Amino acid sequence: MSTTSKLINPALRAAANLRSSSMPEKVSKTAAAYLSAAPSGGAHTLPDLPYDYNALEPVISAETMTLHHTKHHNTYVTNLNAALEKLDAVASAGDVSAIIGLEGALKFNGGGHLNHTLFWENLAAKGTSSIKAGGALEAAINESFGGVEEMKKEMSATTIAVQGSGWGWLGLNPKTGRLEIATRANQDPLQATTGLVPLLGIDVWEHAYYVDYRNVRPDYVNAVWEIVNWDVAEQRLAAAK
């Protein structure tokens, strides 16, 4: 049976199976949240890129983009759907231990899917996007960092320094209204783990840059600024306020 057929109307399944069970409330809420977040068709799908694979050259090659999108991102989607299928079964059975055992796979693969979806959107062909002069994003950056170039330098240094694999993010702190720079290990999603709303992310897993830059992460991170989609970052800021 396919993943889609097993996850028919997951929100209703979660409500019916979990509210009536005797499992701990926190566990049941977590399982219900994962299941109800699945798309109406039952399975997450690999999103199309908003540009061609060669659109980001020479900063990121078509080879890297093809591998990154069709292989790496697609693997996170496939494994997320597999974990959700298992969760659907064990939640229906009220198996608390099995639900807890799936949390790592759900966080890693769900985070990988979310992070990459955000990443593709915040990139654009070189020369097609620039930060809006006098716009809300520029004003927020100036207030938080003293200027756009200052923000770039701080975010670049912080992101380059990530140990192993992970991400560098520019996010909005909804409590203070200020922008902050943060890093996350592996595929930990920014908002779920820090409360910061992601505006702009840089993937520093080696598969994001090794074909083009080998192991010279600084060259990749510094070059990424040439293909940032500032329009998307501006839109994310507006939506978060």
Side-chain angles (χ1 to χ4, degrees):
M1 186 180 296
S2 69
T3 299
T4 301
S5 61
K6 284 190 176 184
L7 289 174
I8 294 173
N9 206 342
L12 292 180
R13 291 180 68 95
N17 294 328
L18 299 176
R19 279 207 296 260
S20 60
S21 73
S22 58
M23 70 176 65
E25 182 179 4
K26 182 178 180 180
V27 174
S28 67
K29 283 185 175 180
T30 299
Y34 274 117
L35 289 170
S36 62
S40 58
H44 292 275
T45 58
L46 182 69
D48 293 331
L49 294 181
Y51 36 73
D52 294 332
Y53 286 122
N54 64 356
L56 305 182
E57 292 183 335
V59 177
I60 302 178
S61 68
E63 181 183 1
T64 292
M65 288 300 299
T66 302
L67 290 170
H68 200 172
H69 181 246
T70 65
K71 301 298 183 182
H72 294 283
H73 188 176
N74 194 49
T75 297
Y76 293 121
V77 174
T78 299
N79 291 340
L80 173 60
N81 286 327
L84 285 171
E85 185 174 342
K86 293 176 183 177
L87 179 63
D88 192 28
V90 299
S92 297
D95 189 337
V96 176
S97 179
I99 292 173
I100 294 172
L102 286 168
E103 288 183 355
L106 289 165
K107 180 181 180 183
F108 181 75
N109 293 294
H113 179 33
L114 174 62
N115 290 339
H116 283 86
T117 300
L118 292 169
F119 182 56
W120 307 137
E121 293 172 352
N122 71 219
L123 299 178
K126 187 175 179 179
T128 63
S129 181
S130 59
I131 193 162
K132 183 179 178 181
L137 179 61
E138 183 184 56
I141 290 174
N142 289 341
E143 181 181 356
S144 300
F145 302 99
V148 175
E149 291 305 314
E150 286 76 8
M151 181 277 292
K152 288 181 181 180
K153 289 178 183 177
E154 182 177 338
M155 185 168 170
S156 292
T158 302
T159 303
I160 290 167
V162 169
Q163 293 185 345
S165 301
W167 293 77
W169 291 99
L170 175 67
L172 171 69
N173 186 326
K175 294 181 179 179
T176 65
R178 294 178 66 85
L179 304 188
E180 298 180 14
I181 291 167
T183 60
R184 296 286 85 197
N186 299 315
Q187 294 298 350
D188 288 2
L190 182 69
Q191 191 165 6
T193 57
T194 68
L196 299 176
V197 179
L199 304 181
L200 170 66
I202 301 177
D203 184 354
V204 286
W205 280 65
E206 275 202 344
H207 63 239
Y209 60 88
Y210 192 82
V211 169
D212 303 318
Y213 298 89
R214 295 298 185 259
N215 63 341
V216 189
R217 181 186 286 178
D219 287 355
Y220 157 72
V221 171
N222 290 325
V224 162
W225 293 110
E226 299 178 23
I227 54 171
V228 166
N229 191 328
W230 294 104
D231 297 319
V232 166
E234 186 99 36
Q235 291 164 13
R236 289 175 180 170
L237 177 62
K241 287 193 169 183

